[in-house]
Amino acid sequence: MGVGGYLLLPWRFLVVLSLRLLFLLPTGVPVRSGDATFPKAMDNVTVRQGESATLRCTVDNRVTRVAWLNRSTILYAGNDKWCLDPRVVLLTNTKTQYSIEIQNVDVYDEGPYTCSVQTDNHPKTSRVHLIVQVSPKIIEISSDISINEGSNISLTCIATGRPEPTVTWRHISPTAVGFMSEDEYLEIQGITRAQSGDYECSASNDVAAPVVRRVKVTVNYPPYISEAKSTGVAVGQKGTLQCEASAVPSAEFQWYKDDKRLVGGQKRVKVENRPFLSKLIFFNVSEHDYGNYTCVASNNLGHTNASITLFEINEPTSSALFQAPGAVSEVNNGTSRRAGCIWLLPLLILHLLLKF
């Protein structure tokens, strides 16, 4: 607590001096708790920011006067409150314990607190240290960035907390591949398109759950055509040529036949463009449509092209609908078997007549 938190009225200065004389509290090194049986203070107290801290001091019936101090400022003397901070309250003042509570603790409350008692005309003190923990908080982080492939980038993530948080960076798009940096700064030399995506900064100090923030890194690169296949179509049928290209920013497509650019809106030909795909559609292919076509993909970083052929194939013939040879063979075999049975019948009748 700062001195401003415990403003004393002017007349109380005399009381403070009297109290110090009464307790024989020197301005130098106080008596350690191990030098006497009383008072017995608790171990160091650790609380999180915003919580309440309880400071206890064990006494007995030999104690005649008690007080709690923060450094050289008196908080409580017996039942009397000497500070103006409403967060400091007296919890217990009995023959066995003297305790106070500091509510809604903040970082400026951290430090030593002294329990001072008077026993048998001998002053004794015991000191406890209040430790205030603060959850991690990211106070500064790089903005989303768009950069050309091959460039260098530096990402920053500044965090505060008590104890000081550990800061880590990792690449999480498309999947996390482990920590890339265990520092506030992440340096990437000659970034590639595979390193684009989201980068996650995490700050943790075990006081609370880690704090996580993300930075989106967009890597720009010129287009490259990943798929462009030639297609065979019969005359009079519908045909489609496809051209796929990857690029950031997305590529713009153009189609050419020889030196003539093809555009949409024609009766027999249509161009359909998507961010990574372009289609050249022929609704009724003619002999004039066959030949080589060029797909051009471009963005502000460059361009590329691919040659695609629309070639002719024959339509299916009606011969495919003829009856299968196996079926004809099966019919012929059945006729032959019936004819054999007709010739055997007279021989069987003649055999029976001769037998009788």
Side-chain angles (χ1 to χ4, degrees):
M1 297 180 183
V3 175
Y6 308 115
L7 297 177
L8 301 178
L9 296 176
W11 63 268
R12 289 195 174 186
F13 282 112
L14 294 176
V15 180
V16 172
L17 293 176
S18 300
L19 183 62
R20 290 192 175 186
L21 290 174
L22 178 63
F23 278 37
L24 296 179
L25 297 177
T27 57
V29 179
V31 179
R32 296 181 179 178
S33 59
D35 296 336
T37 305
F38 296 102
K40 182 179 180 182
M42 60 195 299
D43 295 332
N44 290 343
V45 176
T46 301
V47 295
R48 296 180 182 179
Q49 184 182 36
E51 296 180 345
S52 297
T54 301
L55 307 180
R56 298 184 181 89
C57 185
T58 302
V59 297
D60 66 3
N61 53 12
R62 292 177 293 170
V63 175
T64 58
R65 294 182 180 87
V66 289
W68 270 106
L69 298 87
N70 176 22
R71 299 177 178 88
S72 60
T73 303
I74 300 174
L75 303 179
Y76 266 91
N79 292 325
D80 297 328
K81 185 175 183 179
W82 285 63
C83 72
L84 298 180
D85 192 335
R87 300 176 304 127
V88 181
V89 296
L90 179 66
L91 287 183
T92 307
N93 184 10
T94 66
K95 294 182 179 181
T96 58
Q97 188 178 105
Y98 185 55
S99 61
I100 62 173
E101 181 182 71
I102 305 173
Q103 301 170 345
N104 193 24
V105 170
D106 211 334
V107 291
Y108 52 75
D109 296 317
E110 185 170 284
Y113 291 77
T114 301
C115 175
S116 180
V117 303
Q118 178 77 17
T119 65
D120 302 328
N121 297 322
H122 296 289
K124 295 179 174 61
T125 63
S126 181
R127 179 172 292 184
V128 60
H129 198 90
L130 176 62
I131 300 172
V132 180
Q133 294 182 330
V134 181
S135 302
K137 181 180 180 181
I138 295 176
I139 60 174
E140 180 183 344
I141 190 169
S142 297
S143 302
D144 294 346
I145 184 174
S146 178
I147 194 168
N148 293 344
E149 189 173 33
S151 302
N152 304 330
I153 68 168
S154 178
L155 302 181
T156 302
C157 182
I158 307 297
T160 60
R162 297 166 68 107
E164 185 177 353
T166 299
V167 177
T168 57
W169 280 99
R170 65 175 182 168
H171 185 202
I172 61 172
S173 294
T175 57
V177 292
F179 296 123
M180 298 187 64
S181 172
E182 295 187 4
D183 193 5
E184 295 174 338
Y185 304 97
L186 174 62
E187 306 281 346
I188 302 178
Q189 305 293 324
I191 193 168
T192 66
R193 65 193 67 178
Q195 292 174 304
S196 65
D198 291 333
Y199 286 79
E200 180 183 86
C201 171
S202 175
S204 61
N205 63 359
D206 295 331
V207 176
V211 179
V212 174
R213 297 274 297 276
R214 291 183 179 183
V215 176
K216 183 177 182 61
V217 176
T218 301
V219 179
N220 303 316
Y221 57 91
Y224 74 93
I225 294 178
S226 56
E227 184 175 352
K229 293 182 178 180
S230 298
T231 304
V233 182
V235 173
Q237 300 297 314
K238 181 179 179 180
T240 303
L241 297 180
Q242 288 194 173
C243 181
E244 295 184 19
S246 177
V248 177
S250 298
E252 295 182 357
F253 293 93
Q254 295 177 350
W255 287 92
Y256 292 87
K257 185 178 183 183
D258 299 326
D259 295 331
K260 181 182 178 181
R261 181 182 173 184
L262 305 177
V263 294
Q266 301 180 19
K267 293 182 179 181
R268 298 174 45 257
V269 180
K270 179 181 179 182
V271 177
E272 287 186 357
N273 288 331
R274 300 177 186 175
F276 299 100
L277 172 66
S278 181
K279 294 181 179 181
L280 182 61
I281 303 173
F282 302 87
F283 295 104
N284 184 11
V285 174
S286 68
E287 292 286 348
H288 175 73
D289 295 324
Y290 296 124
N292 293 327
Y293 292 81
T294 301
C295 168
V296 178
S298 61
N299 65 9
N300 57 358
L301 297 179
H303 65 274
T304 186
N305 63 77
S307 180
I308 310 175
T309 302
L310 181 69
F311 57 91
E312 183 180 6
I313 61 173
N314 295 324
E315 287 186 303
T317 62
S318 58
S319 59
L321 303 177
F322 288 171
Q323 194 173 33
V328 176
S329 175
E330 184 177 350
V331 173
N332 293 339
N333 290 339
T335 304
S336 176
R337 283 193 296 269
R338 287 192 294 272
C341 293
I342 294 174
W343 284 103
L344 287 174
L345 183 58
L347 293 176
L348 181 59
I349 295 174
L350 178 60
H351 175 72
L352 292 174
L353 293 174
L354 291 175
K355 185 176 182 180
F356 294 99

